[in-house]
Amino acid sequence: MIQKYVYGNPFPTEAVITEVPAEEGSPVYGSITEKDGFCFTYIMDEQDIVYGLGESNRGLNKRGYRYISNCTDEPHHTEEKLSLYGAHNLIVIAGEKNFGLFFDYPSTISFDIGYTKADTLTVSCKEADLNLFVIDGDSPYDIVKQFRRIIGRSYIPPKFAFGFGQSRWGYRTKEDFREVVTEHRKNNIPLDMVYMDIDYMQDFKDFTWNEETFPDFPEFVQEMKAQNIRLIPIIDAGVKVEKGYDIYDEGVKNRYFCQREDGSDYVAAVWPGDTHFPDVLNKDARTWFGDKYRILTEQGIEGFWNDMNEPAIFYSKDGVEEIKEQMKEFLAQSDNAEANSSHSDMSILALTEKMNKLSGNEKDYQRFYHMVGGKRIRHDKVHNLFGYHMTRAAGEAFERIDPGKRFLMFSRSSYIGMHRYGGIWTGDNMSWWSHILLNLKMLPSLNMCGFLYTGADIGGFASDATRELVLRWLALGVFTPLMRNHSADGTRRQEFYQFEDTEDFRHIIGVRYRLLPYLYSEYMKAALQDDMYFKPLAFDYPKDPMALQVEDQILLGNEIMIAPVCTQNAKGRYVYLPEEMKFIKFLPDGTVSEETLKKGHHYVEIALNEVPLFIRSGKCIPLAGTAEYVDAIDSGHMTLIGYKGAEYALYEDDGISKKYAPLEQCRVLAIS
Ligand code: GLC
């Protein structure tokens, strides 16, 4: 049962698309004050677990810390960070009482989940203008499924997007791309996509390509396609300010950019230098911006990634002016012979702090406006919707460009509702072991909020990766719908062929392609039934007290459990089995080892070049032969591994049109 409570005058976020009538009175759980903003308080039982919050820091169980939904270009995902790129305001309290809460509020909102006081959950925001959805259910899993039904079907990518994609910020020329493809093919490392980061553009201008480094761009797209490779370009939120650049000129002329209070177009510096933000919350501007994707689809492009759409601001003129002022003061003080040295130390610190706050400064988000339904609304009041609406612009445009076709689309920033238009990647992580675990923990939480097509930068974006870390990360990446190796310019190269003993990488990615019919089938079942692809163990084993605590193993689909190794130099790891399972290892010689393990704790050995998974009691999964790209997978000749007598219902479709197959028509495969 879902109840909606309306406070003040909420902004229509369109996160929820099913009509839920508004209730009178107050929710049965917790208490609410609307005096200084909005505050929800609930006293938790000692045993209560709190799930949700999608892309956020720390554990699967969110209890014991605080989190702030405020979409931020945050490149340092250290434990104390309260906000990352997304705003996913669903929490589910699981215990004696089970209920979910969705705070549909598009600006900054804080979740204190036993941080200030161990037993107290407080959710608060500055303005009491929001919709609160309260979901009652038998279990957290049931609550999530109900929630997913009201927010609409999750985005479904084309099947090729389940292949492996290579990316790096720093590929600049056709030759760079050709080399990536040649090296993969030469080393027989499967590959379906190569991502184009900002350097393909002309001076970082959206929807352009550099004619010097990419002459005959459409021919190049076809050259890649002939090798079964899709090029996936990045699109950034900011449009370069440059007279004569048609997108800039059109946006200015039609007033499609976000404006300052005085009506001038707002200027923020991002990669191209000064940019304007398309007002994607305004329907006309959104349609205009979305239609620009056509410039690239007409060249044969079938997928995109939307970036810097929190929106990221490196600095603004106002911010720089403030610093200049402070600098003047500081210089005057230093010149003043009477100023003592400690005083000037303090000024230096203040100045440094100011410099550090230049980027992503909250004051800048108060300096521009959107035009929604004829009304001006200050950006900070709807800040968390920008990435969602940029991706919505693209999603709506794809419907116009080719309504029957699926395009690949994922974004960095998001809000619930965006899950209908695209997936997300989890942004600028580091080549750190702790980030493999963070990646794993985010996956089920993201699924709860509707984001099924998701994955992290495998191998880590910033800092230098090691061979061991990349291999271990890859053994998790094999299971994430979005499987992409991405890294920052200037870091150690981490394409798989850069490392010694490339065959280990070839083997692990090969396992992805062997599992792909199963992974795709489970993804489609989850998407078509508003279900989860990744689940915490607790969702399927709610009565098992041990399962409730497991944070480093998750369920995938209905047949398997995954438990990657996330520790340097480890030869294996401890796992907890909530029931008897078959421990499967994909060995480097192409064979599969199988061992039945009883319910309970086990130490399992997992070599660096092996991929482990666990098949649940009474289940089986299909396995294809490996392939160099998705279309080459032969699903006509598959074997099954798992429990004798088990059956698996395989979902299949053409992988590119929106004519999804009815689930009743799944092909039933059985182990003989
Ligand atoms: C941002 C993105 C990253 C990209 C870089 C350059 O940091 O998160 O993925 O490589 O910008 O475009």
Side-chain angles (χ1 to χ4, degrees):
M1 187 184 56
I2 305 186
Q3 289 175 308
K4 173 170 138 183
Y5 297 89
V6 181
Y7 299 93
N9 190 14
F11 183 87
T13 67
E14 294 172 76
V16 172
I17 53 169
T18 307
E19 197 53 56
V20 182
E23 299 287 327
E24 298 290 327
S26 297
V28 289
Y29 305 106
S31 59
I32 286 168
T33 61
E34 293 174 70
K35 238 189 23 240
D36 297 313
F38 174 90
C39 184
F40 171 89
T41 308
Y42 176 74
I43 306 300
M44 299 179 284
D45 281 346
E46 211 182 317
Q47 304 302 324
D48 281 350
I49 292 176
V50 181
Y51 295 107
L53 294 184
E55 182 185 23
S56 56
N57 233 331
R58 302 223 174 189
L60 251 175
N61 181 354
K62 295 297 185 202
R63 197 165 172 166
Y65 205 58
R66 64 198 179 108
Y67 314 85
I68 299 178
S69 288
N70 177 28
C71 296
T72 305
D73 172 14
E74 176 53 78
H76 303 288
H77 308 173
T78 42
E79 271 190 41
E80 83 285 10
K81 292 294 156 58
L82 305 178
S83 307
L84 298 175
Y85 311 89
H88 306 145
N89 303 337
L90 169 77
I91 51 172
V92 179
I93 292 92
E96 276 292 297
K97 295 189 202 102
N98 292 294
F99 61 98
L101 302 167
F102 174 51
F103 298 86
D104 192 11
Y105 180 75
S107 186
T108 302
I109 179 162
S110 306
F111 296 79
D112 179 330
I113 312 182
Y115 168 79
T116 304
K117 220 166 161 284
D119 67 350
T120 308
L121 162 72
T122 319
V123 182
S124 55
C125 52
K126 239 167 68 207
E127 273 152 43
D129 292 315
L130 72 156
N131 288 317
L132 168 59
F133 293 84
V134 180
I135 311 155
D136 268 298
D138 298 336
S139 65
Y141 189 16
D142 171 43
I143 288 161
V144 165
K145 283 196 274 194
Q146 290 188 54
F147 176 65
R148 293 279 306 283
R149 273 200 287 276
I150 63 165
I151 58 171
R153 178 182 286 174
S154 295
Y155 161 75
I156 297 179
K159 193 171 179 185
F160 71 75
F162 288 81
F164 168 65
Q166 175 58 42
S167 185
R168 182 168 168 91
W169 175 16
Y171 299 152
R172 287 187 170 80
T173 63
K174 275 184 183 178
E175 275 322 306
D176 293 340
F177 286 87
R178 284 189 182 122
E179 183 189 313
V180 170
V181 175
T182 311
E183 287 295 328
H184 279 82
R185 291 289 182 246
K186 195 174 84 196
N187 288 292
N188 296 111
I189 304 172
L191 181 70
D192 270 273
M193 289 154 289
V194 185
Y195 287 85
M196 306 183 89
D197 207 320
I198 45 174
D199 295 304
Y200 79 90
M201 299 182 203
Q202 180 67 53
D203 304 324
F204 307 136
K205 285 185 281 192
D206 278 341
F207 311 110
T208 67
W209 56 89
N210 185 320
E211 291 283 359
E212 240 169 70
T213 44
F214 292 95
D216 309 319
F217 184 61
E219 283 77 9
F220 184 55
V221 175
Q222 291 315 319
E223 175 190 321
M224 291 287 125
K225 255 190 209 168
Q227 298 173 73
N228 301 291
I229 301 293
R230 261 103 174 174
L231 292 172
I232 312 293
I234 195 170
I235 304 293
D236 278 357
V239 170
K240 185 172 168 59
V241 172
E242 185 185 281
K243 282 216 173 74
Y245 164 37
D246 50 356
I247 299 182
Y248 165 80
D249 289 341
E250 284 172 30
V252 169
K253 184 167 150 248
N254 295 308
R255 315 265 34 214
Y256 286 154
F257 293 125
C258 292
Q259 293 162 25
R260 299 174 65 101
E261 200 168 9
D262 65 7
S264 61
D265 292 324
Y266 181 71
V267 180
V270 204
W271 299 123
D274 285 351
T275 68
H276 291 328
F277 295 135
D279 185 0
V280 284
L281 270 70
N282 168 333
K283 198 165 174 298
D284 293 341
R286 183 161 73 240
T287 306
W288 164 75
F289 189 76
D291 279 339
K292 298 299 169 202
Y293 286 80
R294 193 189 287 269
I295 296 172
L296 287 161
T297 60
E298 279 174 352
Q299 315 307 316
I301 293 295
E302 292 172 88
F304 300 87
W305 47 311
N306 279 349
D307 192 21
M308 309 304 279
N309 51 4
E310 292 69 31
I313 298 180
F314 292 165
Y315 60 88
S316 68
K317 286 213 167 64
D318 307 84
V320 171
E321 282 310 315
E322 280 177 21
I323 287 195
K324 275 194 199 156
E325 284 306 310
Q326 200 154 349
M327 182 69 102
K328 274 189 214 149
E329 263 173 50
F330 167 72
L331 291 174
Q333 266 178 24
S334 316
D335 286 347
N336 182 347
E338 272 157 41
N340 61 40
S341 61
S342 72
H343 191 141
S344 77
D345 278 354
M346 288 309 288
S347 318
I348 288 191
L349 287 182
L351 203 57
T352 317
E353 190 165 325
K354 201 128 209 153
M355 293 285 245
N356 289 340
K357 287 197 175 144
L358 203 53
S359 103
N361 191 305
E362 61 178 312
K363 274 205 212 150
D364 284 333
Y365 295 113
Q366 296 165 6
R367 288 179 172 129
F368 63 96
Y369 291 78
H370 297 272
M371 190 61 89
V372 187
K375 279 204 195 118
R376 249 157 61 132
I377 178 150
R378 209 172 72 187
H379 174 79
D380 60 315
K381 316 248 180 224
V382 286
H383 173 70
N384 291 342
L385 301 181
F386 193 92
Y388 161 18
H389 282 77
M390 178 188 176
T391 301
R392 179 175 179 182
E396 290 173 345
F398 298 151
E399 285 288 329
R400 296 189 291 275
I401 293 169
D402 194 343
K405 179 174 158 147
R406 304 183 217 169
F407 287 83
L408 169 57
M409 164 51 68
F410 58 90
S411 166
R412 193 170 74 176
S413 187
S414 59
Y415 183 85
I416 292 175
M418 200 208 85
H419 70 287
R420 299 190 295 270
Y421 301 99
I424 60 166
W425 95 99
T426 51
D428 297 348
N429 55 12
M430 299 267 189
S431 299
W432 290 350
W433 290 92
S434 57
H435 280 185
I436 306 183
L437 195 55
L438 181 62
N439 179 189
L440 180 84
K441 289 179 186 186
M442 273 184 194
L443 295 167
S445 310
L446 281 164
N447 278 202
M448 292 174 203
C449 300
F451 295 93
L452 296 185
Y453 188 74
T454 173
D457 288 349
I458 293 171
F461 174 73
S463 71
D464 293 336
T466 64
R467 179 177 187 274
E468 185 193 4
L469 175 122
V470 177
L471 278 168
R472 290 300 194 196
W473 206 322
L474 198 54
L476 165 61
V478 154
F479 300 103
T480 57
L482 166 61
M483 183 194 195
R484 182 176 79 141
N485 176 350
H486 181 51
S487 54
D489 206 1
T491 59
R492 182 182 186 181
R493 296 293 293 245
Q494 66 187 45
E495 294 89 355
F496 304 134
Y497 52 82
Q498 307 281 1
F499 296 103
E500 55 200 298
D501 299 329
T502 308
E503 63 271 18
D504 290 342
F505 294 90
R506 174 193 314 139
H507 163 61
I508 298 188
I509 304 194
V511 172
R512 161 66 163 223
Y513 284 70
R514 299 192 69 187
L515 286 169
L516 209 138
Y518 172 69
L519 302 178
Y520 181 71
S521 168
E522 287 306 298
Y523 185 95
M524 291 304 294
K525 287 181 195 172
L528 296 174
Q529 298 177 107
D530 302 326
D531 205 332
M532 296 168 77
Y533 172 90
F534 287 121
K535 281 172 277 187
L537 263 54
F539 277 31
D540 276 354
Y541 303 95
K543 300 235 151 59
D544 180 338
M546 196 58 227
L548 301 188
Q549 294 179 49
V550 175
E551 293 252 344
D552 60 352
Q553 308 166 202
I554 55 176
L555 300 168
L556 186 167
N558 287 314
E559 283 72 24
I560 68 176
M561 179 178 84
I562 61 170
V565 174
C566 310
T567 316
Q568 183 173 312
N569 292 317
K571 303 270 181 276
R573 57 162 290 167
Y574 286 94
V575 283
Y576 174 71
L577 270 49
E579 61 175 333
E580 182 200 286
M581 291 187 188
K582 277 197 196 289
F583 173 43
I584 303 292
K585 281 199 288 190
F586 291 88
L587 305 175
D589 65 1
T591 61
V592 176
S593 76
E594 194 180 306
E595 186 188 351
T596 304
L597 297 178
K598 288 207 174 69
K599 172 182 159 83
H601 295 275
H602 298 269
Y603 180 83
V604 291
E605 285 180 1
I606 304 158
L608 204 48
N609 54 9
E610 293 172 350
V611 182
L613 64 81
F614 298 81
I615 300 185
R616 295 166 66 176
S617 282
K619 312 265 189 193
C620 68
I621 60 168
L623 215 52
T626 188
E628 291 220 317
Y629 51 93
V630 170
D631 282 345
I633 297 171
D634 179 2
S635 56
H637 296 91
M638 292 199 289
T639 51
L640 289 152
I641 51 171
Y643 283 84
K644 291 264 167 310
E647 285 184 349
Y648 179 70
L650 182 74
Y651 174 91
E652 293 169 298
D653 61 19
D654 64 19
I656 192 78
S657 82
K658 290 181 182 159
K659 288 192 204 100
Y660 309 121
L663 289 170
E664 311 78 64
Q665 281 174 23
C666 283
R667 178 151 62 106
V668 178
L669 307 168
I671 293 201
S672 47

